[in-house]
Amino acid sequence: MGYGTSLGSVSPVSIVGNSPVIKRIYELMAKVACCQSTVLILGESGTGKELIARSIHLHSERQGRPFIPVNCGAIPGDLLESELFGHEKGAFTSAVATRIGRFELADGGTILLDEIGEMPQMLQVKLLRVLQERSFERVGGMKTINVDVRIIAATNQDLETAVKDGRFREDLFYRLNVIPIEIPPLRKRADDIPLLCRFFIDKYSERFGRKPITITEEAAHILACYSWPGNVRELENTMERLLVLKDDNIVKPSDLPERMTGKRIPELPDIDDDDTNPFVSGVDLNAALAGYEKRLILHALELHRGVKSQAAKYLNINRTTLIEKMKRLGL
Ligand SMILES: Nc1ncnc2c1ncn2[C@@H]1O[C@H](COP(=O)(O)OP(=O)(O)O)[C@@H](O)[C@H]1O
Ligand SMILES: [Mg+2]
């Protein structure tokens, strides 16, 4: 393979990445794979939460048993209960036959409770009991069912805030948050972008029986600087689209979607407008702009690992102008 570090001796799913954060995640995954503890995977949509959950399962002693993902956010509350725990015949009008739920299907294996932050309160209580006792009843059932299931939960929400706001049970949060794995967004591990591009180009050129494409240095630079709000999923789709739509094999900046090539103006920083203080009124424009300028410059430098010529190019200014500004701002 050679895209990144493979986890252990077998690599049944390919997780690509060589950045220090991803390497730390590989180490953590190798450790948690061999224990039964509950894992909570945190990260924005498209960062690879499901991929990592599946990989943990495939590296655990449960690998020969089912891996059952459930998207708790996609199923309405009343249906979710019977989806997870099953129901007995006649439990409700449409329950014409007994149905086995996902927890029973996952027996001996692993269940992934995806978008756990969306789980309705009523089910949070029932889930807490499963976490504590590994037992539950089917909807409309009397018999207690015991299962041996490893639980992995995932979310793109900030669960601690959800707990503070009373949307998520605190006791459940602590039960789930035994081993947290935080996957940073792609824009915070830009080192991995070229590897991921290569990986998906190879994947789709093989799948479609097409010659791989080459990305020019300029286009690669744009891809590396783009913010990737949809993370790896967005990158994968972008590479697939390029492979399908390109007639020649060279990707130039003009082949990339406009959202990547258009100059973005990053969000304004919070204005420190202390309206509780009667002596402070209005904003000091010059100080605010200098603060904004400083932040943008630091951002550009960080993105390009301190290489001033590249940071200047990103900011659309000359290298000498950048150096002057840095001096003036005390950077
Ligand atoms: N590090 C990675 N290496 C290879 N493929 C990845 C990586 N991270 C994510 N993917 C791919 O990106 C897509 C989205 O990942 P997924 O696990 O569904 O994200 P999430 O569950 O966080 O939304 C999937 O096709 C997945 O295989
Ligand atoms: Mg997902």
Side-chain angles (χ1 to χ4, degrees):
M1 277 257 334
Y3 294 105
T5 316
S6 92
L7 176 70
S9 53
V10 276
S11 188
V13 291
S14 317
I15 301 179
V16 177
N18 238 335
S19 56
V21 260
I22 287 292
K23 284 192 183 152
R24 266 201 303 281
I25 290 176
Y26 291 144
E27 282 166 23
L28 197 54
M29 284 167 69
K31 280 192 193 138
V32 300
C34 53
C35 72
Q36 303 299 325
S37 308
T38 300
V39 175
L40 179 62
I41 307 178
L42 305 161
E44 288 179 9
S45 181
T47 47
K49 297 186 292 297
E50 183 161 348
L51 184 71
I52 284 181
R54 199 177 287 274
S55 177
I56 291 173
H57 169 75
L58 289 174
H59 285 89
S60 75
E61 57 192 24
R62 296 170 177 267
Q63 64 189 127
R65 307 285 304 161
F67 173 80
I68 308 283
V70 189
N71 187 338
C72 304
I75 308 167
D78 42 346
L79 288 182
L80 185 59
E81 182 173 12
S82 99
E83 187 72 28
L84 287 172
F85 304 107
H87 60 242
E88 295 293 346
K89 183 176 172 179
F92 41 87
T93 338
S94 59
V96 289
T98 297
R99 180 171 188 230
I100 305 283
R102 302 287 182 107
F103 270 103
E104 275 178 83
L105 286 175
D107 198 16
T110 307
I111 196 167
L112 167 64
L113 302 172
D114 206 353
E115 308 300 347
I116 188 86
E118 304 286 324
M119 183 165 279
Q121 299 260 353
M122 176 270 290
L123 285 182
Q124 291 179 21
V125 184
K126 204 161 168 175
L127 178 61
L128 184 65
R129 182 172 154 222
V130 181
L131 278 155
Q132 284 166 341
E133 299 165 18
R134 295 293 193 266
S135 66
F136 56 89
E137 287 87 33
R138 292 184 191 138
V139 178
M142 303 293 283
K143 196 176 73 182
T144 297
I145 293 169
N146 296 297
V147 284
D148 165 28
V149 173
R150 187 200 195 154
I151 297 169
I152 302 184
T155 182
N156 57 9
Q157 286 192 33
D158 177 359
L159 282 188
E160 273 164 282
T161 306
V163 168
K164 277 194 205 111
D165 296 348
R167 284 177 287 120
F168 202 83
R169 289 185 68 102
E170 190 172 19
D171 44 11
L172 179 58
F173 171 67
Y174 288 119
R175 279 279 168 184
L176 290 171
N177 194 32
V178 182
I179 300 171
I181 298 185
E182 216 174 316
I183 315 179
L186 192 53
R187 62 185 166 280
K188 297 231 170 117
R189 47 182 160 113
D191 300 11
D192 290 339
I193 292 172
L195 283 174
L196 284 161
C197 289
R198 199 69 255 157
F199 172 73
F200 290 121
I201 288 171
D202 289 352
K203 172 176 165 181
Y204 287 102
S205 58
E206 198 169 305
R207 179 174 299 177
F208 302 144
R210 294 195 54 157
K211 265 209 263 167
I213 47 179
T214 310
I215 301 179
T216 63
E217 206 177 303
E218 257 193 309
H221 182 75
I222 293 170
L223 292 170
C225 296
Y226 176 59
S227 62
W228 300 106
N231 294 295
V232 183
R233 184 176 292 116
E234 184 184 4
L235 187 146
E236 177 168 4
N237 293 342
T238 306
M239 293 305 128
E240 181 179 354
R241 207 172 316 122
L242 283 171
L243 248 138
V244 173
L245 299 180
K246 288 254 346 128
D247 295 322
D248 59 357
N249 293 328
I250 313 272
V251 177
K252 301 175 293 304
S254 57
D255 298 316
L256 298 176
E258 205 169 299
R259 64 176 188 284
M260 295 180 189
T261 50
K263 277 277 166 212
R264 285 178 315 112
I265 302 197
E267 257 169 68
L268 275 164
D270 284 343
I271 292 171
D272 188 16
D273 192 5
D274 185 1
D275 53 15
T276 55
N277 182 346
F279 299 104
V280 176
S281 58
V283 182
D284 183 332
L285 182 64
N286 287 329
L289 288 178
Y292 187 44
E293 195 176 20
K294 194 167 172 174
R295 267 191 38 175
L296 277 178
I297 289 175
L298 286 172
H299 169 73
L301 287 166
E302 194 188 295
L303 204 60
H304 297 281
R305 277 165 241 101
V307 182
K308 291 195 194 80
S309 54
Q310 287 180 17
K313 195 169 171 190
Y314 173 81
L315 293 167
N316 242 350
I317 55 177
N318 291 328
R319 188 171 169 279
T320 43
T321 314
L322 175 66
I323 293 169
E324 270 164 32
K325 282 182 185 297
M326 286 171 67
K327 251 191 223 144
R328 183 163 48 78
L329 295 165
L331 293 173

